[in-house]
Amino acid sequence: MEKLYIEGGEKMYGEMDMYAAKNALLPLLACSIMADGKSTFKNCPNIEDVKNMLLIMESLGCTCNFENGSIYSEPTAESSCLIEEDLAKTLRSSIFLMGSILGRYKKVKIAYPGGCDIGLRPINLHIEGLKALNVKIHEEAGYIICDGSNMKGGIVNFDVPSVGATENIMMAATLSKGTTIIKNAAREPEIIDLQNYINKMGGNVRGAGRSYIVIEGVKKLRSCEYTPIADRIVAGTYMLGCAMTGGEIQINNVNFEHIYSLIAKLRETTCKIHVKGDKIVIKAPKQPLAMKYIKTSPYPGFPTDLQAQVMTMMTVSKGVAIIEENMFEMRFRHISELIKMGADITVSGKTAVVSGVKKLQGAGVTAYDLRGGSALCLAGLVAEGTTVISDLWHIDRGYESIENELANFGVKIQRKR
Ligand code: UD1
């Protein structure tokens, strides 16, 4: 089993061009099934979640190719419309295929999805939303079986603004007759990206970015070339690494508005952040101040996907930070590992109190999920001695060769057995 070995003590310096966001690209790939002809996606990261998505699409009859950061995919006229358990379990985003397969082929049979083990992650909102579009759904031996032969537009009212459920309904509704309205829709930038993609293919969606989305069904979509938005979470991860090492880095090709909640918090810590067009430069002080209170919430609030990394920064910041995780109940699994490295963290329910210490100590630690794993890499940057991280497959799901990216920023890091 490969592990990451990090020698702490280096400041992060350098520059990086950001690649497309995993959370934008995965639903777009699913959506490409709805268009005739060959779709092209540019600036794609070579990460496990993307590779697994392509495997699932191939099992559905699509022809997929991934070369030099570009993905080409072309669906077939007929498909099995079946996603077997072993494939569905490889990533949670297999759930997006429910909406797009239904849109195109009007039926789907899919095993319950997998993904990060960060809590319950129910799919009730996806199911209720599709039912509102007149899809008949039943469950049988671990499979969800959907009949969309009488699909039509409807009104979907989410109890909670779910990113995945909003995207699923946008896709299914695009190839359904009539108008669909999504109320209390999620407002993440990735949802605006999906709207832009669908409209580029000839669909008719408006309102994304607000909580009220209107989709007018169309008969057909045509394939196109598309460059998804950049990965705000990967950008945020490296900004936090820079902030805690006292370095200075520049990230290119990123929309600062997408991570404004992080930028505002980093400014509280006395980090200097300059935005020049699509470039962000961050210059960190010797020891940043603690952010007082961080509370994860749906966009434009502070993203749950940066909670573990921000907590790691707080372990070595000056003062006490209170961090509240409101999105997923098992998203504190990195804490036991940070404590092994000398962090001072106490937890009560969904709240963690982090008191900054002068230094962390290198230790053998385990990545339990994707973002928690990247947070342990950040901890390694400021630890005395060597940090050894195992179960890297979690990190590889969402970071394109994290060791090369960090090494380019001057970090002493190696992947070896
Ligand atoms: C997406 C992101 C993930 C991010 C999360 C929250 C992708 C591929 N993944 O996940 O990285 O951490 O948004 O920003 O884009 N919920 C229900 N019922 C449902 C669906 C969700 O109760 O049917 C709840 C969840 O338990 C959670 C909240 O809604 O508390 C938000 O989850 P959701 O937005 O659906 O997350 P994902 O789309 O799975």
Side-chain angles (χ1 to χ4, degrees):
M1 282 281 244
E2 286 180 333
K3 295 182 180 177
L4 282 177
Y5 292 75
I6 305 175
E7 298 296 330
E10 303 300 325
K11 294 180 177 181
M12 275 175 70
Y13 282 107
E15 208 175 306
M16 175 189 181
D17 295 334
M18 191 45 61
Y19 45 75
K22 163 179 96 67
N23 288 353
L25 178 59
L26 293 173
L28 297 181
L29 285 170
C31 192
S32 70
I33 284 191
M34 305 205 302
D36 283 328
K38 198 183 213 176
S39 305
T40 305
F41 298 96
K42 298 282 200 189
N43 197 28
C44 301
N46 194 357
I47 53 177
E48 290 305 309
D49 269 10
V50 167
K51 289 191 243 173
N52 283 327
M53 187 66 164
L54 296 180
L55 285 180
I56 298 178
M57 288 167 65
E58 279 171 351
S59 80
L60 290 163
C62 295
T63 310
C64 302
N65 257 310
F66 192 170
E67 284 164 18
N68 303 324
S70 291
I71 293 177
Y72 308 93
S73 73
E74 186 167 1
T76 42
E78 300 286 322
S79 166
S80 64
C81 299
L82 168 68
I83 303 179
E84 301 269 14
E85 191 182 350
D86 53 341
L87 284 173
K89 290 262 180 277
T90 57
L91 87 159
R92 173 158 174 100
S93 303
S94 53
I95 194 79
F96 300 128
L97 286 154
M98 230 165 52
S100 60
I101 298 173
L102 269 171
R104 168 128 200 183
Y105 303 106
K106 307 299 175 211
K107 61 172 186 182
V108 63
K109 179 174 174 181
I110 178 172
Y112 269 92
C116 257
D117 194 6
I118 53 176
L120 269 177
R121 305 197 89 169
I123 53 168
N124 58 310
L125 299 174
H126 300 249
I127 307 265
E128 283 162 24
L130 290 173
K131 281 186 177 163
L133 302 189
N134 212 28
V135 177
K136 302 265 169 300
I137 303 182
H138 72 281
E139 289 174 39
E140 210 178 273
Y143 281 83
I144 307 159
I145 301 169
C146 306
D147 171 3
S149 45
N150 292 313
M151 265 168 81
K152 55 178 195 228
I155 295 179
V156 178
N157 199 344
F158 288 130
D159 288 342
V160 195
S162 156
V163 177
T166 301
E167 292 168 336
N168 232 337
I169 301 309
M170 281 165 75
M171 291 191 255
T174 285
L175 288 180
S176 300
K177 244 191 227 153
T179 306
T180 295
I181 292 171
I182 308 177
K183 296 183 183 177
N184 199 21
R187 295 185 287 158
E188 269 66 3
E190 289 77 11
I191 290 172
I192 303 180
D193 213 34
L194 180 60
Q195 168 178 285
N196 292 342
Y197 176 59
I198 293 176
N199 289 347
K200 191 168 183 192
M201 291 198 293
N204 186 349
V205 183
R206 56 187 191 272
R210 297 193 296 270
S211 46
Y212 190 93
I213 299 179
V214 181
I215 304 123
E216 308 285 355
V218 296
K219 286 225 168 73
K220 249 186 174 325
L221 295 173
R222 50 178 186 273
S223 57
C224 66
E225 182 181 303
Y226 196 79
T227 305
I229 54 169
D231 202 313
R232 61 194 168 103
I233 303 300
V234 175
T237 302
Y238 295 136
M239 285 168 71
L240 285 160
C242 172
M244 56 198 283
T245 56
E248 177 171 353
I249 65 167
Q250 173 168 320
I251 302 195
N252 303 324
N253 181 37
V254 64
N255 185 334
F256 80 95
E257 284 181 30
H258 295 167
I259 38 172
Y260 196 74
S261 58
L262 173 67
I263 292 177
K265 283 279 156 203
L266 280 170
R267 283 184 173 147
E268 265 181 38
T269 71
T270 73
C271 282
K272 299 255 179 301
I273 296 169
H274 297 289
V275 176
K276 291 183 260 170
D278 68 352
K279 300 178 188 359
I280 297 179
V281 177
I282 168 166
K283 187 169 192 291
K286 213 166 172 199
Q287 191 190 19
L289 300 179
M291 301 170 188
K292 291 278 168 289
Y293 186 49
I294 304 134
K295 183 174 168 246
T296 65
S297 55
Y299 191 85
F302 193 89
T304 174
D305 285 354
L306 284 174
Q307 176 261 112
Q309 302 89 314
V310 91
M311 184 181 295
T312 304
M313 177 184 170
M314 293 303 100
T315 64
V316 289
S317 297
K318 199 169 169 188
V320 178
I322 296 172
I323 301 179
E324 195 180 299
E325 172 55 55
N326 295 302
M327 303 300 289
F328 295 107
E329 61 276 15
M330 272 168 64
R331 230 174 184 177
F332 272 166
R333 298 181 74 190
H334 47 280
I335 293 180
S336 59
E337 307 308 281
L338 291 174
I339 289 175
K340 273 188 206 164
M341 298 178 70
D344 181 350
I345 307 173
T346 51
V347 180
S348 163
K350 57 182 187 174
T351 305
V353 178
V354 188
S355 306
V357 295
K358 280 253 153 60
K359 265 208 177 321
L360 297 178
Q361 309 300 324
V365 289
T366 307
Y368 288 118
D369 60 56
L370 165 57
R371 306 304 172 186
S374 72
L376 296 178
C377 295
L378 300 191
L381 306 182
V382 289
E384 240 164 18
T386 312
T387 299
V388 183
I389 305 169
S390 52
D391 282 11
L392 303 183
W393 60 274
H394 286 291
I395 303 174
D396 294 337
R397 283 188 38 223
Y399 292 82
E400 187 177 78
S401 181
I402 199 164
E403 66 277 17
N404 287 346
E405 289 167 0
L406 286 172
N408 284 340
F409 284 125
V411 173
K412 288 190 180 146
I413 180 168
Q414 266 191 311
R415 180 189 289 248
K416 55 186 187 197
R417 279 182 195 280

